[in-house]
Amino acid sequence: MSYLSISFTHKNTDIQTREKIAFSNESSVETFLKSVKADDSIDEVVLLSTCNRVEIMTTSSNIKQSTNKIFDTLAKYSGLDFDNLIEIADIYDNTGAIHHLFSVASALDSLVIGETQIVGQLKDSFRLALSKGYCGKDISKAMNYAFKCAANVRNETSLGTGSVSVASTAVSKAKDIIQNTQGVKALVIGAGEMSELTMKHLNKAGFDIVLISRDIKKAKMLVDTFDFEVDVQAYENLEKYLNEVPVMVTATSAPYPIIKEDMVKPCTFNRYWFDIALPRDIEEFESPNLQIYAVDDLQDIVNSNMILRAEQAKRAYMIVNQESEKFFKWLKSLEVEPVVKHLYKRADNVIEKKLENAIKKGFIKSEDEENIKKLCQTVLNEFLHEPTTRLKKISKDVECDIILGTVQSVFGLEGGSNSIKKCDHAIKFNY
């Protein structure tokens, strides 16, 4: 079994491409997972899709075959060219895949380093795949260790503090533009998690907030949880507020643009719209006195964020490196335990068989069986103590797989080594 990770992010993919490969609802995610897992080389799979990334994590018995299947399925889903997708993607296996997963969970691979939403999004994606039977024990091991790594990064660095999300970055940009926000209205579209975060940051920045959502009941329930005022408006008032309010942030899960050019009317003031959804909520167009910012347009604030967090990021990457190494040591220790268990089981079987034959042939009396059995077990336990102790220690060695395989072969033990080969680099395949 090998871990395989295929990654599309703001680092290797433009927003137009990310829109096409983004999964906007659970149904499309499940369809993709079902198709991928149908391949006999893929045992488990998880899909993460956010405004900045699409991550596909699998366990595979054949890396090349699995990679082909994933890209073929993704090409059909997105309508993009198979070869182009392979060319732009980052592909990792084993150690590289685990290191990448831990980096993603710890928000070190995010557009905004240290953003706090990614670990929750990863947990949601994992829970969905697990509940539907698309992943099991092997990815669960990796995910649980990734969440532990993310917690260590948060606890041991200051990366999780301050303005560290796409939503907060958009609001920060709006505040820098408006400067005096007192009495300035800001429109938020959508009542999901990202919109909730946006409103909290807008309130802190001093904006007066108007919320519009297709689900007005959900919007009102969300607003009731706040300790500040939000003006909830019906969705049919969207066009009206778009042309009256200077700042707008949209973060819906709509699979198509909800704001089109014909909705924009001429105005005498400047408007600043922030589209932090993917696929984007605003179709591409230009209009006088209107500046539209998509996720990738917030790079200047992100760069400042990187400079301020550089030292903390170094410490965080050290933690990720350490946790990745611990994870593989732990996996190796899991491989050793069954070998030791089977070794003792084989010894017990030999004792049982020889005692039974000895009694049948009259070499020993049946009433002495238990005492002789205990003596035999004591002798074998003492004999096997040193080799089994050494077996447990070799889980830290590079030669672990070879030694375990040899022991299993020599003693005829059950099963084979469920080894994971190490590969420290991202890989590209030639087709």
Side-chain angles (χ1 to χ4, degrees), residues 99 102-103 106 108 149 153 316-324:
H99 190 277
F102 288 11
S103 298
S106 303
L108 296 178
C149 178
V153 168
Y317 272 114
M318 287 178 61
I319 295 171
V320 168
N321 291 339
Q322 291 166 0
E323 292 299 327
S324 298

Side-chain angles (χ1 to χ4, degrees), residues 33-44:
L33 294 176
K34 184 178 181 180
S35 175
V36 167
K37 197 173 183 296
D39 190 89
D40 59 12
S41 72
I42 296 175
D43 299 314
E44 303 178 28

Side-chain angles (χ1 to χ4, degrees), residues 212-213 233-240:
I212 287 180
S213 171
Q233 292 290 330
Y235 192 79
E236 52 262 32
N237 294 329
L238 174 59
E239 188 171 325
K240 172 181 180 290

